[in-house]
Amino acid sequence: MTMFRLSAIAALFAASASSAFAQQNEVNLYSARHYQTDEALYANFTKQTGIKINRIEAGENELLERIKTEGANSPADIFITVDAARLAKADELQLFAPWKSKTIEARVPAHLRTEDWIAFSTRARVIVYNKASVNPADVQNYEDLANPKLKGKVCVRSGSHPYNLSLGAALVEHIGAEKTEAWAKGLVANFARSPKGGDTDQIKSVAAGECGVALANSYYVARMMRSDKPEDKKIVANFGVVWPNQKAQGAHVNVSGGGILKHAPHKENAIKFLEYLTSDQAQVYFADGNNEWPVVASVKVKNPGLEAMGAFKADTIHVGKLAKNQAAVQKMFDRAGWK
């Protein structure tokens, strides 16, 4: 065999080895979490570890269907999304593989993780009220929103949205199914208008006086409070925020989270990514970049929007229970007319 042929074969093997290493030194992320601010989060992971992130973003239903269809040939390593119900849906489809990490066990509280997926940030469901038309003393609890005193004053998004279904599931755990359905009926009776729009729309409607009170996720409120836009400052001046149920279970908390997929081709890199999401740097980023709270209790956050809302007692119900009652809650809301 000539020296030229030997050199060519050596070069071919070197190229193959390099390609194989490149394929190993990556992680494939299917994400239903759509925040531009997460770009820096991903870039920092690659900078720290040298592991490249290949990302596909879409709605959770589309991604879950894609993972199912791809089956054992799926290139996906990790699925991440917002809301415990959506993570539980992936779990029910048996798409996740159990994670094993002493780091995650030490940093993420037990009520914010399951055997198959973990939460890496949290957000609370708060009550927003119009300062001119509603006395905050009348809306100290979620249950107060069903009080006839608020007839014609409540605005809220669709009852089929996971944010509201998760709240309903938590209420079932705390006050029971019968009282939760009665609450939903009372809430509907108090609607100022038919449910429409997202949480930011509810906040704006309260500030404009179209509604007296609404439910919204905390990071939408914090985002508006941090805004320098004159129109946002005007909106913020017109509404107040109540942390619900502070004398009982605390404010309902939901999560962003993710898990390693059953057929993940890069499981070691996937666990490194999940561990990175629980690191101090990433945890601070969730607060600064997207106005969420860290799941790691020791992490200190300086976010003017979050600080403006003040300290609060959070409900520590296990995230697994937020999904357990969702189908039943949807039927309750349907019967109540909360479409």
Side-chain angles (χ1 to χ4, degrees):
M1 186 176 291
T2 66
M3 183 63 67
F4 173 79
R5 288 188 65 190
L6 286 171
S7 298
I9 291 171
L12 181 62
F13 273 112
S16 298
S18 176
S19 176
F21 175 77
Q23 289 178 0
Q24 290 174 358
N25 208 36
E26 64 185 13
V27 65
N28 299 322
L29 176 65
Y30 281 19
S31 174
R33 181 182 155 95
H34 311 300
Y35 305 119
Q36 288 185 343
T37 51
D38 283 355
E39 294 295 333
L41 183 78
Y42 301 140
N44 287 339
F45 172 72
T46 299
K47 183 178 179 180
Q48 286 185 19
T49 65
I51 299 171
K52 178 185 176 183
I53 296 177
N54 302 312
R55 188 167 86 255
I56 291 178
E57 289 190 352
E60 60 277 347
N61 290 334
E62 180 182 345
L63 290 175
L64 292 177
E65 186 59 35
R66 178 171 181 157
I67 295 167
K68 282 171 55 184
T69 301
E70 290 171 342
N73 296 318
S74 178
D77 293 303
I78 293 176
F79 171 68
I80 67 173
T81 189
V82 296
D83 198 275
R86 290 163 169 163
L87 288 159
K89 184 176 181 180
D91 211 0
E92 289 170 6
L93 294 171
Q94 298 183 337
L95 300 181
F96 287 137
W99 56 268
K100 292 182 180 179
S101 167
K102 295 295 184 183
T103 298
I104 292 174
E105 286 181 3
R107 295 182 65 79
V108 180
H111 72 280
L112 292 175
R113 52 182 164 87
T114 72
E115 292 181 353
D116 295 324
W117 56 268
I118 69 165
F120 49 76
S121 65
T122 67
R123 62 279 296 274
R125 202 90 176 118
V126 301
I127 294 174
V128 178
Y129 67 93
N130 182 286
K131 291 180 179 178
S133 65
V134 172
N135 183 345
D138 292 334
V139 288
Q140 290 297 299
N141 305 291
Y142 297 115
E143 294 91 327
D144 294 337
L145 300 180
N147 191 318
K149 183 185 292 188
L150 295 177
K151 189 171 182 63
K153 292 187 176 183
V154 175
C155 280
V156 70
R157 72 193 300 167
S158 170
S160 63
H161 195 278
Y163 295 167
N164 290 326
L165 290 174
S166 290
L167 172 59
L171 288 176
V172 167
E173 288 294 321
H174 291 301
I175 64 175
E178 186 176 340
K179 289 183 178 179
T180 299
E181 184 161 352
W183 169 79
K185 290 176 179 177
L187 185 76
V188 170
N190 287 341
F191 281 172
R193 55 161 169 74
S194 297
K196 64 178 181 179
D199 282 8
T200 300
D201 298 306
Q202 314 312 316
I203 296 169
K204 290 179 177 179
S205 293
V206 166
E210 180 183 357
C211 323
V213 64
L215 286 167
N217 269 5
S218 53
Y219 71 97
Y220 293 108
V221 178
R223 183 188 300 167
M224 195 163 285
M225 286 181 166
R226 293 180 71 180
S227 175
D228 292 327
K229 296 179 181 178
E231 59 269 30
D232 288 341
K233 288 181 177 293
K234 185 177 180 180
I235 289 171
V236 170
N238 290 335
F239 72 78
V241 179
V242 169
W243 293 111
N245 298 74
Q246 293 301 282
K247 293 182 179 180
Q249 72 270 17
H252 169 64
V253 169
N254 213 317
V255 303
S256 283
I260 300 171
L261 294 163
K262 185 163 52 178
H263 300 296
H266 310 102
K267 283 188 168 64
E268 286 188 17
N269 290 348
I271 197 66
K272 288 179 182 178
F273 181 73
L274 286 187
E275 289 176 342
Y276 164 75
L277 294 180
T278 72
S279 68
D280 283 8
Q281 183 181 15
Q283 289 287 292
V284 169
Y285 178 80
F286 289 126
D288 291 345
N290 201 48
N291 305 299
E292 298 170 275
W293 280 283
V295 297
V296 180
S298 61
V299 173
K300 303 301 180 185
V301 171
K302 292 184 178 180
N303 178 312
L306 297 177
E307 289 173 356
M309 288 189 285
F312 71 102
K313 176 184 177 181
D315 188 358
T316 56
I317 186 174
H318 192 275
V319 285
K321 292 183 178 179
L322 295 181
K324 186 180 73 171
N325 299 318
Q326 295 247 342
V329 169
Q330 183 66 79
K331 290 178 182 178
M332 292 178 198
F333 288 178
D334 288 344
R335 288 193 294 268
W338 187 358
K339 303 298 184 182

